[in-house]
Amino acid sequence: MFKRLSLLFVGLAMTAACSARPADDASTPAYAEGTQYVTITTPQRLDPKDGKVEVVEVFSYGCIHCAHYEPKAEQLQKELPKGVVFHAIPAAFNDAWLPYAQAYYAAKKLNALPATHAALFKAIHEEHYPLRTLDELADWYAQHGVDKAKFLAAANSAETRDRILADTKLIQAWGIDGTPTVVVDGKYRSAQIKDFDELNGVSKFLVDKELKGGK
């Protein structure tokens, strides 16, 4: 878990109690509650109507840690058991990150995510393009075959605004104050993670736990 700024409209602080576990204790779970993950007090799924186990990555294009995690996020999606669904939602933790959330949903509506999702991370954090405003982002998407007018219309739509507000409330309910964070079935979220391999490991551990009925 990598700390970022506090959530827009809410001030949350995550606490996690680190505890050592003997490496040779076979009865000890691979990952411990209160360390690598925490149980969410009031469980809430992103999609309450879909009965499949869901994995949700909370991210931002403005987060360099999310950019570094993106290849691992793609790997995680490939390694999830059949029938488990993966979603990503953009966090608008502050005003600077709001255009990135708008861009994500505009690209999703215009079916441009497959071609632009990883590329935008690279453009911002490796190629250092000045992509901070919605207009700058619209120009960048236009260079990748997305109609600028349609992009701006989707980004500024009431649908996108309402989706981001709903995301913010859900992120608040999950107790998330940093990205990238992974939430499994609205019940568990990643906490004190040492690296991205561990983040994927605990995600798959929690998926398996849900598939076994929470055991």
Side-chain angles (χ1 to χ4, degrees), residues 97-179:
W97 281 12
L98 180 58
Y100 297 130
Q102 292 174 279
Y104 175 82
Y105 281 118
K108 185 174 184 179
K109 186 173 182 64
L110 298 172
N111 299 314
L113 278 181
T116 62
H117 186 62
L120 184 53
F121 277 123
K122 183 178 180 181
I124 295 170
H125 297 287
E126 294 183 27
E127 298 170 340
H128 305 292
Y129 278 78
L131 299 172
R132 300 181 182 87
T133 69
L134 197 56
D135 198 61
E136 289 171 341
L137 287 161
D139 285 337
W140 182 86
Y141 278 96
Q143 293 171 10
H144 290 75
V146 179
D147 183 275
K148 182 175 180 178
K150 291 180 179 179
F151 173 87
L152 287 171
N156 288 309
S157 68
E159 179 184 1
T160 294
R161 178 200 64 202
D162 292 346
R163 182 66 261 171
I164 293 172
L165 287 173
D167 288 347
T168 299
K169 292 178 181 178
L170 187 57
I171 290 169
Q172 175 186 3
W174 285 340
I176 294 173
D177 69 350
T179 53

Side-chain angles (χ1 to χ4, degrees), residues 36-75:
Q36 289 89 2
Y37 73 94
V38 296
T39 300
I40 294 168
T41 305
T42 305
Q44 185 176 349
R45 287 169 52 91
L46 175 65
D47 185 354
K49 296 180 181 179
D50 189 345
K52 298 177 182 178
V53 173
E54 67 175 24
V55 176
V56 180
E57 179 201 1
V58 180
F59 80 101
S60 173
Y61 290 122
C63 169
I64 191 169
H65 303 301
C66 298
H68 293 161
Y69 178 58
E70 177 55 25
K72 291 292 184 179
E74 294 175 7
Q75 177 183 331

